[in-house]
Amino acid sequence: MEQFEPDRLSPAQVAAMRRSLRNGRASLSRRSLLRGSAGGALAVGGLGALSACGIPAAGKTEGGQSSDDLSAKEKSVNFSNWTEYMDVDESGKHHPTLDQFAERTGIKVKYTEDINDNVEFFGKIKPQLAAGQDTGRDLICVTDWLAARLIRLGWVQKLDPANLPHAYANLSSQFRSPDWDPGRAYSYVWQGISTVIAYNKKALDGVEVRTLSDLLDNPKLKGRVGFLSEMRDSIGMTLLDMGKDPGTFTADDFDAAVARIQKSVDKGQIRRFTGNDYTSDLTSGDFAACIAWAGDVVQLKADSPDIDFLIPDSGYMTSTDNLMVPNKARHKTNAERLIDFYYEPKAAAELAAYINYVCPVDGVKDELAKIDEDAANNPLIIPDKAMAAKSRAFRSLSSKEETEFETKFAKLTGA
């Protein structure tokens, strides 16, 4: 008997998430490029569970469900995050910024690195949320597409602006109003994730690369170009190159982008579609140029003078990992105070210096320069106004669109 499961993943979506787990950002450490699929077998099993019969009947909620907020009586907050996504001291045992928060506020943070993959984590918290129960977590960090789904299902709570003065004031303008959470009523950005063009200067050997069209069309790069196996990144960058906005594109625009890439596949221009394993192709010179994630490029540039990046005039793609308070959380106010703490420039700078992703906090540059001047001047960590203006986000997709688009992209990549 089929049981009710709101917003069930389609087979195409499951396949896309399997690719992400094997090869995408989910397979890579947020900082050290070493994240394996810890718990990978569980994650893959969890994907099957998400597409199977599912959970007992439970209705979709409209808006978040609060519980009795025990923040005043219980000075604690339970925070679930990705691995390698928090500053750590030299002993590897302490998180300095979390310790500072606890010392200042008296609120003890139970910090758990139990998110290895968005789909796996969704499978963990889904039964409780669907049943209107506490997940045991006060604060979670999920990527934008899952954040949009949780809001759509009514499984996260509206945030209280009175508890978020620094977050409200200091959130970078490029992240202020995604189409899935206008005005950031339910979420605040933990870190931004930029998609750029990376290249190996030695492998290019004088060939000029300025646009994505150069990767797709220049015969001198035939067989030495890499595209990402993540649909939103490769299609988004192609849409921008075609003069289309990834935030407003149509189904016809999507099909045109697929056809544009398919043409390059057919003539052997694109060597292969990869996850984070493009890093080895790029450093070895097998890829002269490729679509890449900025967090990787920061690390690769530090290790090799041949690696560099460019931002096309057409723009670049940005996604986000986001902090949210799930329904029935017991310490909502404490969670909001923790969110707000990371929007203070000093705390934001300490975090950015360690994890090297796009910091979403305005006014952090001077504080970061006190810790790491190179990081403060790195536009992949602190985008300047010109770079931020070129940032574009992939629009939200309906379940039907996601199924259709992932199916077409899977066919394109041979997945």
Side-chain angles (χ1 to χ4, degrees):
M1 179 179 70
E2 183 169 343
Q3 296 171 310
F4 176 78
E5 186 175 11
D7 232 26
R8 173 184 297 180
L9 291 175
S10 69
Q13 289 169 289
V14 171
M17 294 309 113
R18 284 184 188 275
R19 291 199 304 276
S20 178
L21 182 63
R22 287 196 309 268
N23 303 317
R25 284 189 297 110
S27 70
L28 187 71
S29 167
R30 294 283 169 163
R31 180 173 189 275
S32 66
L33 311 185
L34 295 175
R35 176 188 297 165
S37 54
L42 172 62
V44 173
L47 288 169
L50 285 178
S51 62
C53 243
I55 55 180
K60 172 181 174 178
T61 61
E62 295 299 333
Q65 290 184 345
S66 62
S67 184
D68 291 336
D69 190 348
L70 303 178
S71 293
K73 293 188 295 183
E74 298 179 1
K75 294 295 186 178
S76 64
V77 61
N78 296 328
F79 181 10
S80 283
N81 202 355
W82 297 77
T83 57
E84 303 289 343
Y85 218 15
M86 180 66 74
D87 55 305
V88 181
D89 69 3
E90 291 185 2
S91 73
K93 297 178 180 180
H94 299 283
H95 303 291
T97 55
L98 290 178
D99 291 343
Q100 292 165 28
F101 174 78
E103 183 177 353
R104 181 199 299 182
T105 64
I107 299 170
K108 183 178 180 181
V109 182
K110 180 183 178 183
Y111 184 71
T112 308
E113 295 181 333
D114 62 346
I115 306 178
N116 294 301
D117 172 77
N118 284 289
V119 172
E120 175 193 359
F121 185 66
F122 186 51
K124 286 181 182 179
I125 63 176
K126 188 174 186 179
Q128 294 100 321
L129 291 173
Q133 299 172 352
D134 176 20
T135 65
R137 299 168 176 87
D138 301 305
L139 191 63
I140 60 176
C141 182
V142 295
T143 305
D144 44 21
W145 67 265
L146 180 53
R149 172 170 293 181
L150 292 172
I151 293 171
R152 189 165 67 243
L153 290 168
W155 288 354
V156 289
Q157 299 185 54
K158 270 193 173 182
L159 302 173
D160 184 350
N163 295 326
L164 296 157
H166 295 98
Y168 182 82
N170 295 336
L171 176 62
S172 174
S173 59
Q174 76 179 100
F175 299 121
R176 279 196 175 269
S177 197
D179 65 355
W180 48 269
D181 188 15
R184 291 288 177 181
Y186 293 90
S187 67
Y188 268 93
V189 179
W190 179 246
Q191 298 292 298
I193 304 158
S194 297
T195 305
V196 299
I197 294 176
Y199 57 88
N200 184 315
K201 287 178 280 190
K202 185 176 180 180
L204 283 178
D205 193 25
V207 177
E208 188 175 55
V209 170
R210 291 186 176 180
T211 69
L212 196 72
S213 289
D214 292 329
L215 272 64
L216 290 169
D217 299 328
N218 190 331
K220 293 181 179 180
L221 299 180
K222 183 177 180 179
R224 299 191 294 141
V225 169
F227 266 52
L228 290 170
S229 57
E230 296 284 347
M231 181 264 287
R232 286 169 174 80
D233 295 303
S234 286
I235 294 294
M237 292 291 282
T238 304
L239 286 167
L240 285 169
D241 189 68
M242 297 168 64
K244 302 293 183 179
D245 186 347
T248 59
F249 71 91
T250 66
D252 287 342
D253 295 333
F254 183 90
D255 289 344
V258 170
R260 176 93 171 86
I261 301 171
Q262 185 68 62
K263 182 178 177 182
S264 290
V265 170
D266 292 343
K267 66 183 181 183
Q269 186 77 6
I270 296 175
R271 185 181 184 93
R272 64 191 186 103
F273 293 84
T274 72
N276 286 109
D277 46 334
Y278 71 80
T279 57
S280 58
D281 289 286
L282 188 62
T283 54
S284 70
D286 287 341
F287 284 168
C290 63
I291 299 177
W293 289 303
D296 299 354
V297 178
V298 171
Q299 298 293 326
L300 294 175
K301 278 174 59 65
D303 294 334
S304 172
D306 291 327
I307 305 302
D308 213 333
F309 75 98
L310 66 92
I311 304 295
D313 288 340
S314 58
Y316 67 101
M317 297 301 298
T318 297
S319 57
T320 55
D321 285 330
N322 308 273
L323 300 173
M324 311 183 89
V325 178
N327 283 357
K328 297 294 185 178
R330 293 165 56 88
H331 309 104
K332 179 175 183 285
T333 298
N334 290 346
E336 291 166 339
R337 292 183 67 182
L338 183 57
I339 295 172
D340 197 61
F341 171 75
Y342 280 104
Y343 274 82
E344 295 179 24
K346 186 176 184 297
E350 291 186 41
L351 182 66
Y354 187 83
I355 62 178
N356 294 160
Y357 273 76
V358 179
C359 181
V361 181
D362 278 344
V364 76
K365 185 171 183 178
D366 289 345
E367 289 292 338
L368 183 56
K370 297 174 184 177
I371 304 170
D372 186 337
E373 191 169 350
D374 289 340
N377 292 318
N378 190 331
L380 297 181
I381 299 174
I382 309 293
D384 56 27
K385 290 184 178 179
M387 182 170 172
K390 294 181 179 181
S391 170
R392 296 291 182 271
F394 205 88
R395 71 171 173 83
S396 297
L397 302 179
S398 67
S399 293
K400 180 181 179 182
E401 284 179 322
E402 188 154 3
T403 297
E404 292 177 354
F405 293 169
E406 287 287 7
T407 298
K408 292 175 179 178
F409 188 70
K411 183 178 180 181
L412 168 69
T413 62

